[in-house]
Amino acid sequence: MRAPLIAGNWKMNGSLSLIDTFAEALSGAELPQAVTLALAVPFPYVGVARERLPQNVRLAGQTLSDQPSGAFTGEVSGAMLADVGADMVLVGHSERRTLFGEDDAAVLARVQAALGHGLTPVLCLGETLEERDAGRTEAVVLGQLEAVMEALDGDERARLVLAYEPVWAIGTGRTATPEQAQQVHAAIRARLERYDGALAASMQVLYGGSMKPDNAAELLAQPDIDGGLIGGASLKVDDFLAICQSAG
């Protein structure tokens, strides 16, 4: 059985007071033992979050540079993330791909940088509404997956977490039905079988399309959905805890 992972992505939101709110709530919460929690907070808050949140909450950067150091104003390296307590990092989030022009090559370089600094990359995959309407969902999602997997060896592949995030269901209030989400997750797992059967069986594949307390249980009940990459609901501690409870 793959243990569920519920990861919150705060995007460019949050504050020290919100970290304190989560720290208090998570310290006293009785959550299912099998569920792992993670938060991807903005860069300035990673170190503080590590100090204040319970140690069993994993911390993630929201992206990283593909460079180890140097004259790259505004960038953050994998070594810096690890230095302040992160052990995960989102790579290839749809907003990085669409707003900041990160293509498959850029995503691969960041996955490799994360692995090189001992971070767990959460590789995000997803299609736009136009691509879905054109019947290209699997071609796009599996193409993004292969662009990374083909360049890694078996040990490196095993260190990844995947997140399927239909771009048309992020921040729009629209959500893929559990059946639609499961279909794509199953296709991802089937493609992983081509690399290694054990990899396909063990790889955590999260769903990242507007998961909320009222739809989490049904989504998480699907056989190939192993958790969630939560956006807006991860900024509301009660909603985030409710989703975590649904994963137990």
Side-chain angles (χ1 to χ4, degrees):
M1 290 291 292
R2 296 176 298 272
L5 170 63
I6 303 297
N9 177 17
W10 284 10
K11 306 188 180 185
M12 198 174 72
N13 300 291
S15 62
L16 291 175
S17 63
L18 186 60
I19 290 171
D20 285 339
T21 297
F22 270 74
E24 181 179 0
L26 292 173
S27 295
E30 294 186 10
L31 298 173
Q33 288 189 346
V35 179
T36 298
L37 275 61
L39 287 175
V41 301
F43 291 137
Y45 298 130
V46 175
V48 175
R50 182 66 290 152
E51 292 172 0
R52 299 184 185 180
L53 291 172
Q55 289 302 304
N56 63 346
V57 178
R58 300 181 69 178
L59 286 175
Q62 296 180 5
T63 186
L64 79 164
S65 173
D66 61 349
Q67 299 297 315
S69 62
F72 303 103
T73 299
E75 291 292 285
V76 172
S77 71
M80 293 173 180
L81 288 172
D83 199 29
V84 293
D87 71 335
M88 307 179 78
V89 62
L90 307 185
V91 184
H93 189 279
S94 62
E95 290 158 8
R96 299 301 308 180
R97 293 179 190 262
T98 59
L99 298 178
F100 298 95
E102 293 182 10
D103 59 12
D104 286 340
V107 171
L108 170 60
R110 284 160 174 76
V111 166
Q112 292 171 321
L115 292 170
H117 291 290
L119 300 171
T120 298
V122 181
L123 173 61
C124 301
L125 316 165
E127 84 283 19
T128 64
L129 180 60
E130 292 76 16
E131 290 164 340
R132 169 167 280 271
D133 287 345
R136 299 188 60 236
T137 291
E138 290 191 13
V140 170
V141 171
L142 299 181
Q144 292 170 346
L145 176 65
E146 290 178 344
V148 171
M149 289 296 186
E150 290 291 336
L152 304 181
D153 63 29
D155 290 340
E156 291 171 330
R157 291 168 185 155
R159 292 169 57 192
L160 269 63
V161 171
L162 304 180
Y164 167 57
E165 43 160 18
V167 181
W168 50 272
I170 299 173
T172 64
R174 297 179 59 179
T175 308
T177 66
E179 294 75 20
Q180 287 173 320
Q182 166 59 24
Q183 182 179 15
V184 180
H185 278 245
I188 291 170
R189 207 170 299 282
R191 187 55 53 93
L192 292 173
E193 286 270 3
R194 297 188 182 184
Y195 298 100
D196 185 294
L199 177 70
S202 63
M203 179 73 74
Q204 289 173 311
V205 186
L206 314 181
Y207 175 70
S210 295
M211 185 180 286
K212 300 175 182 178
D214 59 359
N215 63 24
E218 194 172 4
L219 285 163
L220 293 168
Q222 302 303 310
D224 289 302
I225 297 180
D226 306 317
L229 179 59
I230 316 301
S234 72
L235 293 165
K236 303 173 183 177
V237 68
D238 291 340
D239 286 359
F240 187 65
L241 290 175
I243 294 170
C244 293
Q245 294 287 0
S246 296

